[in-house]
Amino acid sequence: MLAYVIQRVFQSAIVLLVVGLVAFSMFRFVGDPVDNMLGQERTQADIERLRTTLGLDQPFPVQYYKFLTNAAQGNFGVSYRQGRPVSDILMERAPATLELAAVSGFLAITIGIGLGVFTAIRRNGFAANAIMSISLIGVSLPTFLIGILLIYLFSVELGWLPSFGRGETVDIGGWSTGFLTQSGLQALILPSITLGLYQMTLIMRLVRSEMLEVLRQDYIRFARARGLRERAVNFRHALKNTLVPVITVTGLQLGSIIAFAIITETVFQWPGVGLLFINAIQFVDIPVMAAYLMLISVMFVGINLIVDLLYFAIDPRLRADRTAAH
């Protein structure tokens, strides 16, 4: 087990280095931040002075090495646009994105697994077929279009929910949360549904497919032949074995929720790190863009590492195969 953990951690570190290199290389083609930071009356001397101050006159390997060493210490430099430490800006924006991702992930997992089990058990029923048909909306429509439709229905036409913003927040130990205010909870409903709908339908269809496969296995027939109740067969035996492959996909989808929050935050003007990244692209704010991509990469790699370890701990076949290999 320890050797497997060390191997996965080493692979994760390699992935982060490669992602950081690719991201930092791409920013060279986004534009020159000096053009946005200086006025029209700038001189060549002003340009050279600012490039020296920002370290943009140094070779690319030197810039990348300094970025990695500072990022490892939590220092992502100073925002070209705001003139503030990037780490402080991310700490201000992170609570909004993490709360949105947490609610979306919770809805996607709980409702997705619940509907997946229901549609598998009642696969020939009218309700199950209706749910499967409606779920095509979540798979087919793009996220931004779902958000616009929800805004039009619940904000414009019905006037029940706010169409943008985060509502009122409460600061608790430096963490701003909208869970403790009515307007904050109302503002969270539409973005969380928009962000989690695709993942929910994907998890639901995966659970249904896997559970239908498990229900055809011989040990399920033996369990029924022993006289076990249908509830015990479905939830104690079938569901437990269904969730083993679902864990991997669910973990990847949780990472996707955080990464693809950019679209949802843009549609709803949600003040998170995704919207911050979009604004940083417009102003060629390289430190903010690099910090955002590294942050998302760390989350993705961390979630994948946790999923791999859980998968290794839950599935005895992996432990048996690894033991046999040694």
Side-chain angles (χ1 to χ4, degrees):
M1 179 67 178
L2 180 60
Y4 180 77
V5 173
I6 294 175
Q7 177 184 355
R8 295 299 299 140
V9 170
F10 178 76
Q11 292 174 352
S12 301
I14 297 298
V15 170
L16 288 177
L17 289 175
V18 173
V19 170
L21 178 61
V22 172
F24 205 78
S25 301
M26 289 174 57
F27 295 149
R28 301 183 65 186
F29 304 99
V30 175
D32 192 347
V34 175
D35 294 337
N36 293 324
M37 299 177 68
L38 295 177
Q40 296 293 331
E41 299 180 357
R42 62 182 182 271
T43 63
Q44 188 62 33
D46 295 332
I47 295 176
E48 296 298 331
R49 188 183 309 110
L50 183 57
R51 292 184 63 84
T52 302
T53 303
L54 299 177
L56 299 177
D57 60 331
Q58 298 176 343
F60 175 78
V62 176
Q63 295 183 43
Y64 179 61
Y65 175 76
K66 288 185 176 180
F67 169 74
L68 286 182
T69 54
N70 291 331
Q73 304 172 19
N75 178 18
F76 295 98
V78 178
S79 170
Y80 295 163
R81 179 190 178 193
Q82 302 185 31
R84 300 169 52 207
V86 176
S87 56
D88 293 345
I89 300 174
L90 291 178
M91 288 300 295
E92 292 177 359
R93 297 293 194 104
T97 297
L98 293 178
E99 287 187 359
L100 176 61
V103 175
S104 301
F106 176 78
L107 293 176
I109 293 174
T110 55
I111 299 178
I113 293 178
L115 292 179
V117 172
F118 175 79
T119 53
I121 296 175
R122 309 290 184 184
R123 55 186 176 276
N124 296 323
F126 173 78
N129 291 327
I131 292 173
M132 292 301 297
S133 300
I134 296 174
S135 68
L136 292 175
I137 297 176
V139 177
S140 305
L141 294 181
T143 302
F144 74 90
L145 184 57
I146 294 175
I148 293 174
L149 292 176
L150 291 177
I151 289 175
Y152 176 77
L153 178 61
F154 293 101
S155 299
V156 178
E157 291 295 329
L158 299 176
W160 291 352
L161 298 170
S163 60
F164 66 93
R166 195 183 176 196
E168 296 181 6
T169 59
V170 177
D171 189 271
I172 302 178
W175 181 279
S176 61
T177 177
F179 289 152
L180 302 179
T181 63
Q182 181 179 358
S183 63
L185 291 174
Q186 290 178 340
L188 193 59
I189 295 176
L190 294 185
S192 60
I193 294 176
T194 302
L195 183 58
L197 186 60
Y198 174 78
Q199 281 73 20
M200 183 194 72
T201 54
L202 185 64
I203 292 173
M204 182 196 74
R205 288 176 168 271
L206 177 63
V207 170
R208 180 181 184 273
S209 175
E210 291 293 333
M211 192 159 186
L212 288 176
E213 183 67 26
V214 170
L215 289 174
R216 299 188 187 100
Q217 301 299 316
D218 290 337
Y219 66 87
I220 297 296
R221 297 191 184 98
F222 294 151
R224 290 195 175 110
R226 289 172 53 195
L228 293 179
R229 294 181 179 180
E230 196 68 18
R231 183 183 183 88
V233 172
N234 291 331
F235 293 97
R236 185 181 303 174
H237 297 280
L239 181 60
K240 180 180 179 181
N241 291 280
T242 297
L243 293 181
V244 173
V246 172
I247 289 176
T248 301
V249 177
T250 301
L252 295 175
Q253 292 307 308
L254 291 179
S256 300
I257 285 177
I258 299 176
F260 297 119
I262 293 178
I263 301 174
T264 303
E265 290 184 4
T266 303
V267 172
F268 291 92
Q269 288 299 292
W270 189 263
V273 292
L275 186 60
L276 176 68
F277 179 70
I278 295 297
N279 294 332
I281 293 177
Q282 296 175 352
F283 289 90
V284 199
D285 199 341
I286 294 178
V288 173
M289 291 190 289
Y292 171 82
L293 290 181
M294 288 301 296
L295 179 64
I296 296 300
S297 301
V298 168
M299 290 183 179
F300 248 113
V301 171
I303 290 175
N304 288 339
L305 178 60
I306 294 174
V307 168
D308 287 341
L309 297 180
L310 285 176
Y311 202 66
F312 186 82
I314 292 174
D315 194 343
R317 293 172 296 181
L318 292 179
R319 297 196 297 271
D321 292 343
R322 194 167 186 84
T323 303
H326 291 285

